Amino acid sequence: MSRTCELTAKAVMSGNNVSHANNKTRRRFLPNLVNVTLISEALNQNVRLRISANALRSVEHRGGLDAFLAKADVKELSQRARLLKKQIAKKLADQPAA
C-alpha cells in the first residue's frame, strides 16, 4: 500500500534535516493519512478510503464525497476513486430522467 492520498494524490516528499551546525541529512515528509469510511448519498453505500486529513476537511467543506468527486480532477484520483466518480456521475445522470 503506497503512502498516497486516494483523493488528492498527496504523497511522500523528501528534504533535509538541518542541524544548528548546518549539517544536512536526508529525511522524508509523510502525509497525514487516515482510514475513513465516507457515505456516498447517490450510491447509498459506505466507501472506505485512505485519505489525508487535509482531503477529509476538503470533502466536508464541499458538502460530502459526491460533491468532492464531481469537482475533482481525474488525474489526481486513485483507480478506486475514479471508478466511484464514474458510478456517481452515472447515477446522478439517471436520476433526473427517471
Side-chain angles (χ1 to χ4, degrees):
M1 186 183 306
S2 66
R3 295 179 192 258
T4 306
C5 175
E6 293 191 64
L7 297 181
T8 60
K10 188 175 284 198
V12 177
M13 294 175 58
S14 61
N16 290 313
N17 278 329
V18 181
S19 69
H20 184 67
N22 207 26
N23 297 331
K24 296 172 185 71
T25 56
R26 298 303 284 176
R27 63 161 292 178
R28 291 168 39 147
F29 295 93
L30 302 177
N32 184 10
L33 296 178
V34 290
N35 294 316
V36 295
T37 302
L38 298 172
I39 299 168
S40 171
E41 289 149 9
L43 300 176
N44 231 4
Q45 66 183 17
N46 295 337
V47 181
R48 291 196 55 163
L49 294 170
R50 189 170 191 220
I51 63 175
S52 64
N54 192 354
L56 182 58
R57 292 185 64 194
S58 298
V59 167
E60 292 296 321
H61 179 74
R62 288 200 185 154
L65 181 64
D66 299 343
F68 181 88
L69 287 175
K71 283 189 163 188
D73 189 13
V74 177
K75 290 180 271 185
E76 291 183 344
L77 299 175
S78 68
Q79 284 299 115
R80 287 180 54 214
R82 287 179 192 173
L83 179 63
L84 273 172
K85 182 177 172 128
K86 276 186 190 176
Q87 289 174 345
I88 290 169
K90 184 178 179 185
K91 190 78 163 185
L92 292 176
D94 290 346
Q95 273 183 345

